[in-house]
Amino acid sequence: MSVASSVLAARRAVLESVSGLPRAFWWLWLSTLVNRLGAFVATFMALYLTLDQGYSASYAGLVASLHGLGGVVSSLGAGVLTDRLGRRPTLLIAQSSTAASVALLGFMREPVAIAAVAFLVGMASSASRPAVQAMMADIVKPEDRVRAFSLNYWAINLGFAVSSAGAGFIAQYSYLAGFLGEAAMTLACAVLIFLKLPETRPERAPVTAGKPAEGPGAAGAAGAEPVIGMGTVVRDGRFMSVVGLSFVVALIFQQGYVGLPVAMGADGFGSVDYGVAIAVNGVLIVVMQIPVTRFIQHRDARRLLIVSSVFAGYGFGLTAFAGSVAVYALTVCIWTLAEIVNAPTQTGLVVRLSPVHGRGRYQGMYTMSWSAAALIAPLMSGFVIDHYGADWLWGACAVLGAAAALGYWLLMRGLSEPESTGSPVPAGVPVPVGSPVPVEVPVPVEVPVRTAAAAEEDASAEVPAPGAAQAAPSP
């Protein structure tokens, strides 16, 4: 194939990947990019505390854990606000609070003050995630959601690739400038949301009669919308199994931002070295996310999650053999491939398992799995590195990756494939984990013979038969 043909093919692939998405999605995408261009705290907090402030790895791990604890506390509350108050107000509150708390953190010097403000930063920054993901699910058609989540994840890492490399050089001269830069960019993100993004929360159908049914996809006897509370989410065993496995995988990925910088610092590498190595993560995602998404878009989600779990665990496991920036960067490449596959697949699966009017709560619970990992990962990495050495940490990552892969495999065995009916699954109806997304393809089915009387009886019925698919309201 000639160079011109390759360029045309690549251009066609890019156009197909970005076409057909609504204008509101691109404003949300741009706000994500602006936000990540200012990312500094999550990337350089460990180096700031250990190299600049002289604290131990255990203290750096404690502060990072408090940052994660803030996310755990706010995730569920932000999910409820997203459903009750709305997506846009929740985003504005979260982004404004993040900007203020990040700026304040740059001026803190006492250990207790640093820890307290880091907790506030974690609360504020995590509060925006359920709203962003729920808004994206509202404005994008179901068949385009995996593609939309991939593009959003691409924006996250495009901003991360630029900011991590640039912030590494900024950190050589002034960590305070990095904190203030992130605060300014986050505030700009809030302004963009205020000016360009409307509220997208779907309107709830009124309750007409009877007690609303319970459960994620249930509807009342008279067509009422289901009542979705946090108890509904917790009782959804299928969804909570996905959340638990997500936590294990997130625990591995978090080591790229808490364990890896500390280990590289202990090996004599500085902030610039770490910035270069971790920037490979963002650059590779920017280059590979679109073609990989095209490859995985219609493949079995369960197998993709199994493979990505193995690559994540053993990618970090190979870090034990790294002795130069180049080898560190090579290991980053391996677990980044796992991240490229895992992120949109997992997020798309969560949306498929979430009822329309409970998206905020379901996304909040899913976000909490990552926030909980951000809480546990620093404690784990700091303790293991201080007492046993970094090699034991990387070995533990390999074990966790294998355990997560086994978990997805067991979950797959315990769930049956849905019967294809030739109709798309309506929003709000749970789909077995890993089942392929239904498409509108005619499938031969056996139609029982009906009498004329039965047909007239069905035509006059106002309430659909139990289990019948209901058309979801357009977001």
Side-chain angles (χ1 to χ4, degrees), residues 95-122:
Q95 298 291 0
S96 302
S97 302
T98 301
S101 57
V102 166
L104 181 62
L105 182 60
F107 293 97
M108 297 296 100
R109 294 295 178 266
E110 295 298 321
V112 175
I114 291 173
V117 178
F119 174 78
L120 295 178
V121 172

mmCIF file with all atom_site columns, all heavy atoms in Angstrom, residues 95-122:
data_model
loop_
_atom_site.group_PDB
_atom_site.id
_atom_site.type_symbol
_atom_site.label_atom_id
_atom_site.label_alt_id
_atom_site.label_comp_id
_atom_site.label_asym_id
_atom_site.label_entity_id
_atom_site.label_seq_id
_atom_site.pdbx_PDB_ins_code
_atom_site.Cartn_x
_atom_site.Cartn_y
_atom_site.Cartn_z
_atom_site.occupancy
_atom_site.B_iso_or_equiv
_atom_site.pdbx_formal_charge
_atom_site.auth_seq_id
_atom_site.auth_comp_id
_atom_site.auth_asym_id
_atom_site.auth_atom_id
_atom_site.pdbx_PDB_model_num
ATOM 1   N N   . GLN A 1 95  ? -16.136 21.957 39.654 1.00 0.00 ? 95  GLN A N   1
ATOM 2   C CA  . GLN A 1 95  ? -14.971 22.581 39.024 1.00 0.00 ? 95  GLN A CA  1
ATOM 3   C C   . GLN A 1 95  ? -14.523 23.837 39.776 1.00 0.00 ? 95  GLN A C   1
ATOM 4   O O   . GLN A 1 95  ? -13.314 24.083 39.949 1.00 0.00 ? 95  GLN A O   1
ATOM 5   C CB  . GLN A 1 95  ? -15.289 22.929 37.563 1.00 0.00 ? 95  GLN A CB  1
ATOM 6   C CG  . GLN A 1 95  ? -15.618 21.742 36.681 1.00 0.00 ? 95  GLN A CG  1
ATOM 7   C CD  . GLN A 1 95  ? -14.420 20.838 36.429 1.00 0.00 ? 95  GLN A CD  1
ATOM 8   O OE1 . GLN A 1 95  ? -13.331 21.086 36.905 1.00 0.00 ? 95  GLN A OE1 1
ATOM 9   N NE2 . GLN A 1 95  ? -14.635 19.770 35.684 1.00 0.00 ? 95  GLN A NE2 1
ATOM 10  N N   . SER A 1 96  ? -15.469 24.640 40.237 1.00 0.00 ? 96  SER A N   1
ATOM 11  C CA  . SER A 1 96  ? -15.112 25.843 40.994 1.00 0.00 ? 96  SER A CA  1
ATOM 12  C C   . SER A 1 96  ? -14.432 25.474 42.309 1.00 0.00 ? 96  SER A C   1
ATOM 13  O O   . SER A 1 96  ? -13.430 26.100 42.706 1.00 0.00 ? 96  SER A O   1
ATOM 14  C CB  . SER A 1 96  ? -16.359 26.689 41.271 1.00 0.00 ? 96  SER A CB  1
ATOM 15  O OG  . SER A 1 96  ? -16.998 27.053 40.064 1.00 0.00 ? 96  SER A OG  1
ATOM 16  N N   . SER A 1 97  ? -14.942 24.476 42.986 1.00 0.00 ? 97  SER A N   1
ATOM 17  C CA  . SER A 1 97  ? -14.350 24.039 44.250 1.00 0.00 ? 97  SER A CA  1
ATOM 18  C C   . SER A 1 97  ? -12.960 23.446 44.028 1.00 0.00 ? 97  SER A C   1
ATOM 19  O O   . SER A 1 97  ? -12.050 23.649 44.844 1.00 0.00 ? 97  SER A O   1
ATOM 20  C CB  . SER A 1 97  ? -15.256 22.997 44.918 1.00 0.00 ? 97  SER A CB  1
ATOM 21  O OG  . SER A 1 97  ? -16.543 23.515 45.155 1.00 0.00 ? 97  SER A OG  1
ATOM 22  N N   . THR A 1 98  ? -12.778 22.724 42.937 1.00 0.00 ? 98  THR A N   1
ATOM 23  C CA  . THR A 1 98  ? -11.467 22.156 42.633 1.00 0.00 ? 98  THR A CA  1
ATOM 24  C C   . THR A 1 98  ? -10.438 23.254 42.417 1.00 0.00 ? 98  THR A C   1
ATOM 25  O O   . THR A 1 98  ? -9.311  23.180 42.931 1.00 0.00 ? 98  THR A O   1
ATOM 26  C CB  . THR A 1 98  ? -11.545 21.258 41.386 1.00 0.00 ? 98  THR A CB  1
ATOM 27  O OG1 . THR A 1 98  ? -12.478 20.208 41.607 1.00 0.00 ? 98  THR A OG1 1
ATOM 28  C CG2 . THR A 1 98  ? -10.187 20.652 41.066 1.00 0.00 ? 98  THR A CG2 1
ATOM 29  N N   . ALA A 1 99  ? -10.803 24.273 41.641 1.00 0.00 ? 99  ALA A N   1
ATOM 30  C CA  . ALA A 1 99  ? -9.874  25.368 41.375 1.00 0.00 ? 99  ALA A CA  1
ATOM 31  C C   . ALA A 1 99  ? -9.427  26.046 42.664 1.00 0.00 ? 99  ALA A C   1
ATOM 32  O O   . ALA A 1 99  ? -8.232  26.312 42.874 1.00 0.00 ? 99  ALA A O   1
ATOM 33  C CB  . ALA A 1 99  ? -10.526 26.381 40.433 1.00 0.00 ? 99  ALA A CB  1
ATOM 34  N N   . ALA A 1 100 ? -10.376 26.317 43.555 1.00 0.00 ? 100 ALA A N   1
ATOM 35  C CA  . ALA A 1 100 ? -10.035 27.001 44.807 1.00 0.00 ? 100 ALA A CA  1
ATOM 36  C C   . ALA A 1 100 ? -9.154  26.131 45.706 1.00 0.00 ? 100 ALA A C   1
ATOM 37  O O   . ALA A 1 100 ? -8.160  26.606 46.274 1.00 0.00 ? 100 ALA A O   1
ATOM 38  C CB  . ALA A 1 100 ? -11.320 27.385 45.542 1.00 0.00 ? 100 ALA A CB  1
ATOM 39  N N   . SER A 1 101 ? -9.485  24.847 45.836 1.00 0.00 ? 101 SER A N   1
ATOM 40  C CA  . SER A 1 101 ? -8.731  23.981 46.745 1.00 0.00 ? 101 SER A CA  1
ATOM 41  C C   . SER A 1 101 ? -7.338  23.652 46.218 1.00 0.00 ? 101 SER A C   1
ATOM 42  O O   . SER A 1 101 ? -6.380  23.552 46.999 1.00 0.00 ? 101 SER A O   1
ATOM 43  C CB  . SER A 1 101 ? -9.516  22.692 47.010 1.00 0.00 ? 101 SER A CB  1
ATOM 44  O OG  . SER A 1 101 ? -9.817  22.025 45.796 1.00 0.00 ? 101 SER A OG  1
ATOM 45  N N   . VAL A 1 102 ? -7.175  23.518 44.902 1.00 0.00 ? 102 VAL A N   1
ATOM 46  C CA  . VAL A 1 102 ? -5.845  23.257 44.338 1.00 0.00 ? 102 VAL A CA  1
ATOM 47  C C   . VAL A 1 102 ? -4.929  24.454 44.546 1.00 0.00 ? 102 VAL A C   1
ATOM 48  O O   . VAL A 1 102 ? -3.748  24.306 44.904 1.00 0.00 ? 102 VAL A O   1
ATOM 49  C CB  . VAL A 1 102 ? -5.957  22.913 42.836 1.00 0.00 ? 102 VAL A CB  1
ATOM 50  C CG1 . VAL A 1 102 ? -4.595  22.983 42.155 1.00 0.00 ? 102 VAL A CG1 1
ATOM 51  C CG2 . VAL A 1 102 ? -6.541  21.523 42.660 1.00 0.00 ? 102 VAL A CG2 1
ATOM 52  N N   . ALA A 1 103 ? -5.449  25.656 44.329 1.00 0.00 ? 103 ALA A N   1
ATOM 53  C CA  . ALA A 1 103 ? -4.648  26.862 44.564 1.00 0.00 ? 103 ALA A CA  1
ATOM 54  C C   . ALA A 1 103 ? -4.228  26.945 46.027 1.00 0.00 ? 103 ALA A C   1
ATOM 55  O O   . ALA A 1 103 ? -3.067  27.285 46.343 1.00 0.00 ? 103 ALA A O   1
ATOM 56  C CB  . ALA A 1 103 ? -5.441  28.105 44.161 1.00 0.00 ? 103 ALA A CB  1
ATOM 57  N N   . LEU A 1 104 ? -5.134  26.637 46.935 1.00 0.00 ? 104 LEU A N   1
ATOM 58  C CA  . LEU A 1 104 ? -4.821  26.669 48.364 1.00 0.00 ? 104 LEU A CA  1
ATOM 59  C C   . LEU A 1 104 ? -3.749  25.646 48.716 1.00 0.00 ? 104 LEU A C   1
ATOM 60  O O   . LEU A 1 104 ? -2.852  25.918 49.529 1.00 0.00 ? 104 LEU A O   1
ATOM 61  C CB  . LEU A 1 104 ? -6.088  26.416 49.173 1.00 0.00 ? 104 LEU A CB  1
ATOM 62  C CG  . LEU A 1 104 ? -5.962  26.426 50.695 1.00 0.00 ? 104 LEU A CG  1
ATOM 63  C CD1 . LEU A 1 104 ? -5.505  27.795 51.184 1.00 0.00 ? 104 LEU A CD1 1
ATOM 64  C CD2 . LEU A 1 104 ? -7.295  26.035 51.344 1.00 0.00 ? 104 LEU A CD2 1
ATOM 65  N N   . LEU A 1 105 ? -3.805  24.468 48.107 1.00 0.00 ? 105 LEU A N   1
ATOM 66  C CA  . LEU A 1 105 ? -2.842  23.414 48.418 1.00 0.00 ? 105 LEU A CA  1
ATOM 67  C C   . LEU A 1 105 ? -1.416  23.842 48.122 1.00 0.00 ? 105 LEU A C   1
ATOM 68  O O   . LEU A 1 105 ? -0.482  23.456 48.835 1.00 0.00 ? 105 LEU A O   1
ATOM 69  C CB  . LEU A 1 105 ? -3.187  22.153 47.607 1.00 0.00 ? 105 LEU A CB  1
ATOM 70  C CG  . LEU A 1 105 ? -2.310  20.916 47.833 1.00 0.00 ? 105 LEU A CG  1
ATOM 71  C CD1 . LEU A 1 105 ? -2.370  20.463 49.291 1.00 0.00 ? 105 LEU A CD1 1
ATOM 72  C CD2 . LEU A 1 105 ? -2.751  19.781 46.908 1.00 0.00 ? 105 LEU A CD2 1
ATOM 73  N N   . GLY A 1 106 ? -1.216  24.654 47.100 1.00 0.00 ? 106 GLY A N   1
ATOM 74  C CA  . GLY A 1 106 ? 0.125   25.099 46.751 1.00 0.00 ? 106 GLY A CA  1
ATOM 75  C C   . GLY A 1 106 ? 0.789   25.940 47.822 1.00 0.00 ? 106 GLY A C   1
ATOM 76  O O   . GLY A 1 106 ? 2.028   26.056 47.841 1.00 0.00 ? 106 GLY A O   1
ATOM 77  N N   . PHE A 1 107 ? 0.004   26.529 48.728 1.00 0.00 ? 107 PHE A N   1
ATOM 78  C CA  . PHE A 1 107 ? 0.565   27.393 49.771 1.00 0.00 ? 107 PHE A CA  1
ATOM 79  C C   . PHE A 1 107 ? 0.697   26.682 51.119 1.00 0.00 ? 107 PHE A C   1
ATOM 80  O O   . PHE A 1 107 ? 1.204   27.276 52.085 1.00 0.00 ? 107 PHE A O   1
ATOM 81  C CB  . PHE A 1 107 ? -0.311  28.638 49.943 1.00 0.00 ? 107 PHE A CB  1
ATOM 82  C CG  . PHE A 1 107 ? -0.301  29.552 48.745 1.00 0.00 ? 107 PHE A CG  1
ATOM 83  C CD1 . PHE A 1 107 ? -1.299  29.489 47.796 1.00 0.00 ? 107 PHE A CD1 1
ATOM 84  C CD2 . PHE A 1 107 ? 0.739   30.459 48.560 1.00 0.00 ? 107 PHE A CD2 1
ATOM 85  C CE1 . PHE A 1 107 ? -1.296  30.321 46.690 1.00 0.00 ? 107 PHE A CE1 1
ATOM 86  C CE2 . PHE A 1 107 ? 0.763   31.302 47.455 1.00 0.00 ? 107 PHE A CE2 1
ATOM 87  C CZ  . PHE A 1 107 ? -0.259  31.231 46.505 1.00 0.00 ? 107 PHE A CZ  1
ATOM 88  N N   . MET A 1 108 ? 0.250   25.451 51.213 1.00 0.00 ? 108 MET A N   1
ATOM 89  C CA  . MET A 1 108 ? 0.310   24.717 52.464 1.00 0.00 ? 108 MET A CA  1
ATOM 90  C C   . MET A 1 108 ? 1.726   24.160 52.683 1.00 0.00 ? 108 MET A C   1
ATOM 91  O O   . MET A 1 108 ? 2.338   23.640 51.753 1.00 0.00 ? 108 MET A O   1
ATOM 92  C CB  . MET A 1 108 ? -0.699  23.572 52.474 1.00 0.00 ? 108 MET A CB  1
ATOM 93  C CG  . MET A 1 108 ? -2.160  24.003 52.389 1.00 0.00 ? 108 MET A CG  1
ATOM 94  S SD  . MET A 1 108 ? -2.714  24.987 53.824 1.00 0.00 ? 108 MET A SD  1
ATOM 95  C CE  . MET A 1 108 ? -2.634  26.660 53.165 1.00 0.00 ? 108 MET A CE  1
ATOM 96  N N   . ARG A 1 109 ? 2.213   24.241 53.935 1.00 0.00 ? 109 ARG A N   1
ATOM 97  C CA  . ARG A 1 109 ? 3.552   23.748 54.265 1.00 0.00 ? 109 ARG A CA  1
ATOM 98  C C   . ARG A 1 109 ? 3.553   22.781 55.449 1.00 0.00 ? 109 ARG A C   1
ATOM 99  O O   . ARG A 1 109 ? 4.414   21.907 55.535 1.00 0.00 ? 109 ARG A O   1
ATOM 100 C CB  . ARG A 1 109 ? 4.486   24.924 54.578 1.00 0.00 ? 109 ARG A CB  1
ATOM 101 C CG  . ARG A 1 109 ? 4.769   25.823 53.377 1.00 0.00 ? 109 ARG A CG  1
ATOM 102 C CD  . ARG A 1 109 ? 5.540   25.084 52.297 1.00 0.00 ? 109 ARG A CD  1
ATOM 103 N NE  . ARG A 1 109 ? 5.774   25.911 51.118 1.00 0.00 ? 109 ARG A NE  1
ATOM 104 C CZ  . ARG A 1 109 ? 5.002   25.944 50.051 1.00 0.00 ? 109 ARG A CZ  1
ATOM 105 N NH1 . ARG A 1 109 ? 3.903   25.165 50.011 1.00 0.00 ? 109 ARG A NH1 1
ATOM 106 N NH2 . ARG A 1 109 ? 5.268   26.717 49.038 1.00 0.00 ? 109 ARG A NH2 1
ATOM 107 N N   . GLU A 1 110 ? 2.606   22.927 56.367 1.00 0.00 ? 110 GLU A N   1
ATOM 108 C CA  . GLU A 1 110 ? 2.550   22.046 57.525 1.00 0.00 ? 110 GLU A CA  1
ATOM 109 C C   . GLU A 1 110 ? 1.942   20.695 57.143 1.00 0.00 ? 110 GLU A C   1
ATOM 110 O O   . GLU A 1 110 ? 1.018   20.640 56.319 1.00 0.00 ? 110 GLU A O   1
ATOM 111 C CB  . GLU A 1 110 ? 1.718   22.676 58.644 1.00 0.00 ? 110 GLU A CB  1
ATOM 112 C CG  . GLU A 1 110 ? 2.319   23.947 59.219 1.00 0.00 ? 110 GLU A CG  1
ATOM 113 C CD  . GLU A 1 110 ? 3.676   23.671 59.855 1.00 0.00 ? 110 GLU A CD  1
ATOM 114 O OE1 . GLU A 1 110 ? 3.825   22.611 60.504 1.00 0.00 ? 110 GLU A OE1 1
ATOM 115 O OE2 . GLU A 1 110 ? 4.585   24.509 59.682 1.00 0.00 ? 110 GLU A OE2 1
ATOM 116 N N   . PRO A 1 111 ? 2.449   19.613 57.704 1.00 0.00 ? 111 PRO A N   1
ATOM 117 C CA  . PRO A 1 111 ? 1.949   18.273 57.325 1.00 0.00 ? 111 PRO A CA  1
ATOM 118 C C   . PRO A 1 111 ? 0.445   18.102 57.468 1.00 0.00 ? 111 PRO A C   1
ATOM 119 O O   . PRO A 1 111 ? -0.211  17.554 56.571 1.00 0.00 ? 111 PRO A O   1
ATOM 120 C CB  . PRO A 1 111 ? 2.704   17.339 58.276 1.00 0.00 ? 111 PRO A CB  1
ATOM 121 C CG  . PRO A 1 111 ? 3.934   18.079 58.650 1.00 0.00 ? 111 PRO A CG  1
ATOM 122 C CD  . PRO A 1 111 ? 3.550   19.527 58.681 1.00 0.00 ? 111 PRO A CD  1
ATOM 123 N N   . VAL A 1 112 ? -0.115  18.578 58.588 1.00 0.00 ? 112 VAL A N   1
ATOM 124 C CA  . VAL A 1 112 ? -1.554  18.422 58.805 1.00 0.00 ? 112 VAL A CA  1
ATOM 125 C C   . VAL A 1 112 ? -2.341  19.248 57.793 1.00 0.00 ? 112 VAL A C   1
ATOM 126 O O   . VAL A 1 112 ? -3.366  18.791 57.254 1.00 0.00 ? 112 VAL A O   1
ATOM 127 C CB  . VAL A 1 112 ? -1.936  18.819 60.249 1.00 0.00 ? 112 VAL A CB  1
ATOM 128 C CG1 . VAL A 1 112 ? -3.454  18.767 60.426 1.00 0.00 ? 112 VAL A CG1 1
ATOM 129 C CG2 . VAL A 1 112 ? -1.250  17.906 61.255 1.00 0.00 ? 112 VAL A CG2 1
ATOM 130 N N   . ALA A 1 113 ? -1.874  20.466 57.515 1.00 0.00 ? 113 ALA A N   1
ATOM 131 C CA  . ALA A 1 113 ? -2.568  21.330 56.558 1.00 0.00 ? 113 ALA A CA  1
ATOM 132 C C   . ALA A 1 113 ? -2.528  20.740 55.156 1.00 0.00 ? 113 ALA A C   1
ATOM 133 O O   . ALA A 1 113 ? -3.533  20.759 54.427 1.00 0.00 ? 113 ALA A O   1
ATOM 134 C CB  . ALA A 1 113 ? -1.935  22.726 56.570 1.00 0.00 ? 113 ALA A CB  1
ATOM 135 N N   . ILE A 1 114 ? -1.375  20.207 54.771 1.00 0.00 ? 114 ILE A N   1
ATOM 136 C CA  . ILE A 1 114 ? -1.259  19.588 53.446 1.00 0.00 ? 114 ILE A CA  1
ATOM 137 C C   . ILE A 1 114 ? -2.238  18.427 53.324 1.00 0.00 ? 114 ILE A C   1
ATOM 138 O O   . ILE A 1 114 ? -2.952  18.286 52.319 1.00 0.00 ? 114 ILE A O   1
ATOM 139 C CB  . ILE A 1 114 ? 0.180   19.098 53.198 1.00 0.00 ? 114 ILE A CB  1
ATOM 140 C CG1 . ILE A 1 114 ? 1.125   20.286 53.045 1.00 0.00 ? 114 ILE A CG1 1
ATOM 141 C CG2 . ILE A 1 114 ? 0.253   18.214 51.951 1.00 0.00 ? 114 ILE A CG2 1
ATOM 142 C CD1 . ILE A 1 114 ? 2.589   19.894 52.961 1.00 0.00 ? 114 ILE A CD1 1
ATOM 143 N N   . ALA A 1 115 ? -2.284  17.585 54.344 1.00 0.00 ? 115 ALA A N   1
ATOM 144 C CA  . ALA A 1 115 ? -3.166  16.419 54.311 1.00 0.00 ? 115 ALA A CA  1
ATOM 145 C C   . ALA A 1 115 ? -4.633  16.836 54.241 1.00 0.00 ? 115 ALA A C   1
ATOM 146 O O   . ALA A 1 115 ? -5.420  16.258 53.485 1.00 0.00 ? 115 ALA A O   1
ATOM 147 C CB  . ALA A 1 115 ? -2.919  15.542 55.537 1.00 0.00 ? 115 ALA A CB  1
ATOM 148 N N   . ALA A 1 116 ? -5.005  17.862 55.024 1.00 0.00 ? 116 ALA A N   1
ATOM 149 C CA  . ALA A 1 116 ? -6.404  18.302 55.058 1.00 0.00 ? 116 ALA A CA  1
ATOM 150 C C   . ALA A 1 116 ? -6.851  18.882 53.715 1.00 0.00 ? 116 ALA A C   1
ATOM 151 O O   . ALA A 1 116 ? -7.935  18.568 53.206 1.00 0.00 ? 116 ALA A O   1
ATOM 152 C CB  . ALA A 1 116 ? -6.601  19.332 56.166 1.00 0.00 ? 116 ALA A CB  1
ATOM 153 N N   . VAL A 1 117 ? -6.003  19.711 53.130 1.00 0.00 ? 117 VAL A N   1
ATOM 154 C CA  . VAL A 1 117 ? -6.373  20.332 51.856 1.00 0.00 ? 117 VAL A CA  1
ATOM 155 C C   . VAL A 1 117 ? -6.362  19.297 50.731 1.00 0.00 ? 117 VAL A C   1
ATOM 156 O O   . VAL A 1 117 ? -7.173  19.360 49.806 1.00 0.00 ? 117 VAL A O   1
ATOM 157 C CB  . VAL A 1 117 ? -5.450  21.523 51.539 1.00 0.00 ? 117 VAL A CB  1
ATOM 158 C CG1 . VAL A 1 117 ? -5.802  22.129 50.182 1.00 0.00 ? 117 VAL A CG1 1
ATOM 159 C CG2 . VAL A 1 117 ? -5.574  22.588 52.625 1.00 0.00 ? 117 VAL A CG2 1
ATOM 160 N N   . ALA A 1 118 ? -5.440  18.342 50.800 1.00 0.00 ? 118 ALA A N   1
ATOM 161 C CA  . ALA A 1 118 ? -5.427  17.272 49.795 1.00 0.00 ? 118 ALA A CA  1
ATOM 162 C C   . ALA A 1 118 ? -6.740  16.490 49.829 1.00 0.00 ? 118 ALA A C   1
ATOM 163 O O   . ALA A 1 118 ? -7.256  16.070 48.781 1.00 0.00 ? 118 ALA A O   1
ATOM 164 C CB  . ALA A 1 118 ? -4.249  16.334 50.032 1.00 0.00 ? 118 ALA A CB  1
ATOM 165 N N   . PHE A 1 119 ? -7.286  16.305 51.019 1.00 0.00 ? 119 PHE A N   1
ATOM 166 C CA  . PHE A 1 119 ? -8.596  15.650 51.154 1.00 0.00 ? 119 PHE A CA  1
ATOM 167 C C   . PHE A 1 119 ? -9.683  16.464 50.449 1.00 0.00 ? 119 PHE A C   1
ATOM 168 O O   . PHE A 1 119 ? -10.527 15.916 49.739 1.00 0.00 ? 119 PHE A O   1
ATOM 169 C CB  . PHE A 1 119 ? -8.920  15.477 52.633 1.00 0.00 ? 119 PHE A CB  1
ATOM 170 C CG  . PHE A 1 119 ? -10.306 14.955 52.913 1.00 0.00 ? 119 PHE A CG  1
ATOM 171 C CD1 . PHE A 1 119 ? -10.598 13.605 52.763 1.00 0.00 ? 119 PHE A CD1 1
ATOM 172 C CD2 . PHE A 1 119 ? -11.313 15.811 53.320 1.00 0.00 ? 119 PHE A CD2 1
ATOM 173 C CE1 . PHE A 1 119 ? -11.876 13.118 53.019 1.00 0.00 ? 119 PHE A CE1 1
ATOM 174 C CE2 . PHE A 1 119 ? -12.589 15.348 53.575 1.00 0.00 ? 119 PHE A CE2 1
ATOM 175 C CZ  . PHE A 1 119 ? -12.866 13.988 53.426 1.00 0.00 ? 119 PHE A CZ  1
ATOM 176 N N   . LEU A 1 120 ? -9.657  17.798 50.624 1.00 0.00 ? 120 LEU A N   1
ATOM 177 C CA  . LEU A 1 120 ? -10.634 18.665 49.968 1.00 0.00 ? 120 LEU A CA  1
ATOM 178 C C   . LEU A 1 120 ? -10.482 18.629 48.458 1.00 0.00 ? 120 LEU A C   1
ATOM 179 O O   . LEU A 1 120 ? -11.482 18.623 47.711 1.00 0.00 ? 120 LEU A O   1
ATOM 180 C CB  . LEU A 1 120 ? -10.481 20.107 50.473 1.00 0.00 ? 120 LEU A CB  1
ATOM 181 C CG  . LEU A 1 120 ? -10.793 20.355 51.956 1.00 0.00 ? 120 LEU A CG  1
ATOM 182 C CD1 . LEU A 1 120 ? -10.539 21.817 52.313 1.00 0.00 ? 120 LEU A CD1 1
ATOM 183 C CD2 . LEU A 1 120 ? -12.236 19.971 52.265 1.00 0.00 ? 120 LEU A CD2 1
ATOM 184 N N   . VAL A 1 121 ? -9.244  18.604 47.976 1.00 0.00 ? 121 VAL A N   1
ATOM 185 C CA  . VAL A 1 121 ? -9.000  18.522 46.529 1.00 0.00 ? 121 VAL A CA  1
ATOM 186 C C   . VAL A 1 121 ? -9.583  17.221 45.974 1.00 0.00 ? 121 VAL A C   1
ATOM 187 O O   . VAL A 1 121 ? -10.208 17.204 44.903 1.00 0.00 ? 121 VAL A O   1
ATOM 188 C CB  . VAL A 1 121 ? -7.494  18.616 46.220 1.00 0.00 ? 121 VAL A CB  1
ATOM 189 C CG1 . VAL A 1 121 ? -7.233  18.327 44.740 1.00 0.00 ? 121 VAL A CG1 1
ATOM 190 C CG2 . VAL A 1 121 ? -6.961  19.994 46.577 1.00 0.00 ? 121 VAL A CG2 1
ATOM 191 N N   . GLY A 1 122 ? -9.385  16.129 46.708 1.00 0.00 ? 122 GLY A N   1
ATOM 192 C CA  . GLY A 1 122 ? -9.930  14.851 46.269 1.00 0.00 ? 122 GLY A CA  1
ATOM 193 C C   . GLY A 1 122 ? -11.450 14.874 46.198 1.00 0.00 ? 122 GLY A C   1
ATOM 194 O O   . GLY A 1 122 ? -12.048 14.345 45.252 1.00 0.00 ? 122 GLY A O   1
#
